Amino acid sequence: MLVIGELINATRKAVKEAVVNKDAAFLQDLARRQDEAGAHYIDVNVATGKGKQEEEVENMDWAVKLIREVSQKPLSIDTTSREVLVAGLKAHGPGAMINSVSAEEGRLEPFLELAREYDCLVIALPAADVGIPKDAKTRLEVGGKILEAAQKEGFSPESLFFDPLVLPLGVDDKSGEITLNALRLFKDELGVKTTIGLSNISHGLPQRKLLNRTFLTLAMREGLDSALMDPLDKAVMSSLLATRAFMGKDSYCGRYLRAYRSGRLVT
Amino acid sequence: MSKDELLKLLENAIVMGHLDVDDEGFDGTMEGTPGTLELVEKALNEGIEPGEILKSFGESMEKVGKLYESGEYFLPDMLASAECVGEAMDIVEPKLELDDSSAGKGKFLIATVKGDVHDIGKNIVATMLKGAGYQVKDLGINVPAEDILQAIKEFEPDFIGLSALLTTTMIEMEQVIKLIKEEGLDNIKVFIGGTPTSKEFAEKIGADQHCRDVIEALQALEKMGEVS
């Protein structure tokens, strides 16, 4: 399970302020803590919502460079803008993750070209110009199209992570079930790797961490390979380790026990 | 049962998200008692004016909005109430005389702008505004500015709501507003919303109102209604 640390995201108020005020220490601290807590990748989203692209390009360059000073972990460049993505990849160097490509106009081929140039892993969203498909089957169809386009560009499926899309349970009480079904379909039909934006599931509901970690367990059982999530949430990280062990993926319960011995497990 | 008692029951059913007799409602105890749909039928059968029933929808949703704002209600609670109103509306609407439309609070055109396919927030706003008594036309997602302008000419709205969830698409809102102003349609109030948007951004592009959520939209609409 690849953990992508989600906390450096400018839609969160404290991060937005840090980006606007160019508070390098704040972002570096957040990166370091996610790194130490076990994140494999650290997501970077600097969209502060001011509506100026040049500013976002500069912010991405600035944020990536300063985070790289304090963490060896590769970054996940989180943007829908090609220009911002280029800035992030240039500052990062090869080996980053691109979050994300989709089947929407201008967000597939141009992003895949960059992914190849900078040797990136890629998160693929099954969103199309006609919208986000409501049901699992249509998501699979759109996912299939992205996979086809990627293979045409010479991508190995190994470098793609398909996100079956997580919509808030509080908005649609079937959305958890739909995502779980879609995860299974992506695994069975396309045989690709998968990822989700975990915290989306609990948006608008109380006790979000309970929902997040329960959903993570269910999703892992349906074949989840990676998640954008909060690595500082000790309970969800503990659930991850326990679930891995139950799924026969933790030889002699080694990781689980190491986590216990270093005091990282909570109930 | 008096008319007032019946409308009061209806209002309570909506606030409790009690759709029909089989639904258990917000507190889980209401199964077996008449829900929103039964009560609306009853009200119509007893000769209560459709316009008056619509008014009680609006008042109920206002209460729901307050409960959400205070933290007692969560999103699904609010949506359950909105569903009650939505389904009840299907029963009441055909009974409305044409001139009853004056009972409405105004016309609201809503769309997710070009390049953006997100519709959750926009749908919640559309549903809630309908519930609160606005006549809502939803153009859907990924709507080019020209199509919005065309719809304005046909629908003649009092308000327009623009939604975007991406920093790359929210700039499209500026195009829409520019087009509206070029056509001299300055009397239409433009609302914007979506995660990356801000008050600051609304001011920059000349929108009349930025809304963090549907409750802010409803409050702003009420305020504008009082002024005009």
Side-chain angles (χ1 to χ4, degrees):
Chain A
M1 266 293 288
L2 275 190
V3 174
I4 309 164
E6 70 181 359
L7 295 173
I8 301 182
N9 189 316
T11 55
R12 298 175 65 230
K13 200 163 170 260
V15 174
K16 178 176 169 174
E17 276 166 20
V19 172
V20 170
N21 301 326
K22 290 279 189 288
D23 183 349
F26 182 91
L27 294 189
Q28 286 180 324
D29 177 59
L30 209 46
R32 202 182 291 120
R33 280 159 56 211
Q34 293 185 87
D35 177 338
E36 284 163 6
H40 300 97
Y41 281 75
I42 297 169
D43 194 70
V44 183
N45 177 323
V46 292
T48 55
K50 287 199 169 168
K52 291 185 199 128
Q53 184 161 70
E54 317 84 75
E55 221 173 273
E56 215 172 305
V57 166
E58 263 170 53
N59 286 341
M60 183 57 91
D61 174 71
W62 169 77
V64 167
K65 282 177 181 157
L66 70 91
I67 294 165
R68 299 285 277 172
E69 283 171 22
V70 295
S71 170
Q72 304 290 314
K73 298 281 171 73
L75 305 185
S76 152
I77 311 297
D78 185 351
T79 178
T80 53
S81 151
R82 188 181 179 279
E83 287 72 24
V84 177
L85 179 61
V86 169
L89 295 177
K90 270 191 184 151
H92 186 282
M97 182 180 271
I98 294 178
N99 183 9
S100 55
V101 308
S102 79
E104 292 161 272
E105 198 189 328
R107 278 190 60 194
L108 189 52
E109 277 84 4
F111 279 36
L112 287 175
E113 276 165 27
L114 287 169
R116 201 170 36 199
E117 187 181 340
Y118 289 92
D119 194 17
C120 296
L121 295 184
V122 176
I123 294 176
L125 301 182
D129 288 317
V130 291
I132 293 168
K134 300 277 181 256
D135 61 301
K137 253 193 140 154
T138 323
R139 290 182 193 179
L140 178 75
E141 276 170 33
V142 180
K145 276 182 200 151
I146 296 177
L147 179 63
E148 215 174 282
Q151 283 175 321
K152 230 182 246 167
E153 296 272 333
F155 266 86
S156 118
E158 283 293 294
S159 52
L160 297 169
F161 284 80
F162 283 81
D163 182 341
L165 295 175
V166 177
L167 300 179
L169 185 65
V171 174
D172 175 358
D173 52 23
K174 298 290 179 291
S175 69
E177 176 69 4
I178 292 170
T179 300
L180 294 171
N181 287 341
L183 269 173
R184 177 50 59 197
L185 278 175
F186 273 94
K187 271 283 155 207
D188 288 349
E189 305 286 325
L190 300 182
V192 292
K193 289 187 177 172
T194 56
T195 189
I196 53 174
L198 181 61
S199 315
N200 285 351
I201 196 70
S202 58
H203 181 84
L205 287 169
Q207 302 289 18
R208 294 187 62 177
K209 289 181 174 183
L210 167 65
L211 295 168
N212 292 347
R213 67 177 183 262
T214 308
F215 193 68
L216 179 68
T217 294
L218 289 167
M220 285 172 71
R221 181 64 183 161
E222 298 300 333
L224 187 70
D225 298 294
S226 156
L228 182 69
M229 56 191 271
D230 177 5
L232 302 188
D233 175 354
K234 284 188 175 168
V236 78
M237 293 298 276
S238 300
S239 282
L240 188 156
L241 287 166
T243 306
R244 252 180 133 264
F246 280 133
M247 289 172 65
K249 290 181 173 172
D250 191 6
S251 168
Y252 296 102
C253 306
R255 286 190 184 198
Y256 184 79
L257 291 173
R258 276 199 301 281
Y260 169 71
R261 292 195 178 99
S262 61
R264 284 185 285 127
L265 289 189
V266 298
T267 50
Chain B
M1 198 181 330
S2 76
K3 185 177 99 179
D4 282 353
E5 279 168 340
L6 182 53
L7 286 176
K8 207 163 200 139
L9 271 182
L10 173 60
E11 200 176 297
N12 184 54
I14 295 171
V15 172
M16 301 295 278
H18 181 30
L19 180 64
D20 57 22
V21 65
D22 297 326
D23 181 278
E24 60 181 24
F26 175 75
D27 64 0
T29 65
M30 298 176 88
E31 193 178 341
T33 64
T36 304
L37 301 186
E38 289 87 8
L39 290 168
V40 165
E41 293 280 9
K42 192 169 157 77
L44 287 170
N45 288 339
E46 294 195 1
I48 298 179
E49 290 295 321
E52 211 161 334
I53 298 176
L54 278 192
K55 217 174 110 202
S56 77
F57 290 173
E59 281 160 13
S60 312
M61 290 314 286
E62 220 165 282
K63 274 194 188 160
V64 171
K66 287 199 177 112
L67 285 164
Y68 178 72
E69 231 187 343
S70 72
E72 193 170 333
Y73 269 26
F74 291 96
L75 201 50
D77 300 321
M78 191 159 76
L79 291 175
S81 294
E83 192 201 359
C84 290
V85 171
E87 294 212 9
M89 201 72 105
D90 292 343
I91 303 174
V92 179
E93 229 159 20
K95 308 266 196 264
L96 273 178
E97 304 280 334
L98 271 177
D99 56 339
D100 270 351
S101 62
S102 60
K105 296 179 179 170
K107 293 189 191 174
F108 198 103
L109 184 75
I110 193 165
T112 300
V113 295
K114 191 175 120 188
D116 202 314
V117 299
H118 295 89
D119 64 358
I120 295 179
K122 176 203 52 110
N123 291 349
I124 291 175
V125 173
T127 310
M128 291 293 289
L129 292 188
K130 264 184 217 166
Y134 294 87
Q135 200 185 332
V136 178
K137 186 171 179 71
D138 184 351
L139 298 179
I141 54 165
N142 197 4
V143 186
E146 304 75 43
D147 292 9
I148 294 177
L149 193 67
Q150 185 59 34
I152 289 174
K153 288 177 181 164
E154 284 161 18
F155 182 62
E156 299 179 335
D158 307 288
F159 312 97
I160 297 175
L162 301 174
S163 171
L165 221 81
L166 305 172
T167 50
T168 44
T169 54
M170 64 189 232
I171 39 186
E172 177 69 16
M173 292 173 167
E174 192 168 4
Q175 293 306 313
V176 179
I177 293 173
K178 232 166 125 188
L179 265 186
I180 293 173
K181 299 233 157 111
E182 274 171 24
E183 293 279 329
L185 300 163
D186 302 45
N187 54 330
I188 304 174
K189 299 272 182 241
V190 181
F191 287 53
I192 67 162
T195 314
T197 62
S198 61
K199 232 186 186 96
E200 204 183 348
F201 178 68
E203 276 165 25
K204 190 186 134 206
I205 64 170
D208 297 286
Q209 183 70 42
H210 169 255
C211 309
R212 208 169 39 84
D213 58 23
V214 63
I215 300 302
E216 272 194 20
L218 281 166
Q219 286 167 346
L221 281 166
E222 292 295 329
K223 235 186 223 160
M224 288 177 188
E226 279 161 25
V227 175
S228 68

